Amino acid sequence: MKSRLIALAIPMLVATAGAQQVERGGTLQLAVDQSPVGLDPHVATAFSTFVVTGQIYESLLEVDANLKIRPLLASKYTRSDDGLTYTFTLRPGVKFHNGDALSAGDVVYSMNRVKDPKTASPLASRLSSVTSVKASGPLQVTFTLSKPYAPFLSEVATIDIVDQKYVEGGGNLQRAAIGTGPFVFKQWIPDTALVLDKNPAYWAKGQPYLDGLKFNIVPDASTRQIGLQGGTYQFLPNIDASVAATLKTAPGVQLLRSQDLAYSLLGMNVSRKPFDDPRVREALNYAINRPEIVQGVYFGDAVPGGPIPPALKTYATPVSNFPCYTYSPAKAKDLLRQAGYPNGVDFSILTFSTIKTVSDAAQVLQAELAPAGFRAKIDIQEFGNFVQNWRNSNFDAFVSLNGGSVDPDGQLYRTVVSGGSTNVFKYKDPAVDALLEQGRSTTSNGSRVRTYAQLQKTLACRGPAAFLAYGALYSATRSEVQGFTPNPTRSLAALKTTWIKR
């Protein structure tokens, strides 16, 4: 079997940042809106977990700020000509935080743990094309696929490697964390703070520059904002548009911007009335005034978008191609009449309050939907309860923020395929399933573009989610914080090259 060797570019590691000399040391004070919902990187779905675990764990590959795939724990890989076999070579000398050496066995264990139904990992469908993962050497791992899988590398980049010995020895990944990353788990005081220390044995020599990170749990947005302006906090990651607008002119504060891959949505449970009828779902889309949401919720710093992020320019269909994105309460009422609801419908929207754009979107939607006959009651829950009800599909509808992907398969497959690991909508459509399989298995870029154009046309109006907007993504820091580059994926991996100027 022929294989191609792909060498992954490895950046030089130097203790400079542009023309400035890095100043080492200090603990960066971050303020985040909520505590992690557990620390297991194979189970978590909440951003509040990822901002922490992203500093502790690492994957074979990573996606950089330009949405390019870069090396992390793998230094190179080979791909067979038929696209069915990938062999990764691991970096030598990498150790977990407890001193255990990273081996091929840990990678095999991590991938199989994600695939195991008992884990109930929301990442499982990302490995659905993988038939086997084997250690082909002490630092070599071979993946065998059932068929060519175009987004394989970007999906592998989302799966963190855990220490097999630690987990099988009884380690509780939900409460403690042992990874290979630049920072080491030290302390978690529920609803107060989570502290990470510098990893003195990190494989990237000279990194990280900071001595540690303290994630202060501060649910109130105004308190986070005042704390940043006063110097109590030095970093607010992934902030709301309203906070960014307020901080634009604040002295001693800098805003870092990128285009977000995450999107706001109104999700519908299609196993419950009235959303079991696709005409009702289409009517709801007509009843939404997306430009009003962009202005009222995002202060104009967002764009309406469909099932694929506008940042993925090769694949994203312009919203002007979706008729149901034209605000028309009259059209919505007509569709409701056709579906047997001439007097409108009553339903409940499940949501949470710790992300302001989410709670604001729910309020705006409630007002927008009413003229079309959608009478919505908002159910604001504590975030942990929201996540549990979301996972269990215990809702009529929900408003939330979903993470995006650098590949359209990652954006759509697990969310809308029948039985998908995050298909909480209970959505099933054999034609959609067939297109999703086609999109991930073809190796022709032109064919993928056509496939995803057809999928977007189907999902935008009658799918289980009304896609609302893709906002600009901001982080706010004190002016002394240097070296951080925002990432459209919301990753905070650049904290390992962040430093404090004194």
Side-chain angles (χ1 to χ4, degrees), residues 312-327:
L312 302 186
K313 296 178 182 179
T314 301
Y315 297 102
T317 296
V319 295
S320 58
N321 290 17
F322 305 138
C324 65
Y325 275 43
T326 301
Y327 178 56

Side-chain angles (χ1 to χ4, degrees), residues 287-366:
I288 296 172
N289 187 334
R290 289 170 173 83
E292 185 176 83
I293 289 175
V294 167
Q295 293 300 321
V297 176
Y298 290 92
F299 295 83
D301 209 355
V303 292
I308 292 178
L312 302 186
K313 296 178 182 179
T314 301
Y315 297 102
T317 296
V319 295
S320 58
N321 290 17
F322 305 138
C324 65
Y325 275 43
T326 301
Y327 178 56
S328 177
K331 178 67 173 176
K333 284 183 176 180
D334 184 52
L335 284 165
L336 285 179
R337 279 194 295 269
Q338 293 177 36
Y341 298 99
N343 299 317
V345 297
D346 294 277
F347 70 103
S348 178
I349 296 177
L350 180 71
T351 192
F352 54 95
S353 62
T354 51
I355 299 178
K356 195 170 186 301
T357 49
V358 171
S359 55
D360 285 355
Q363 298 288 342
V364 172
L365 283 166
Q366 182 185 45

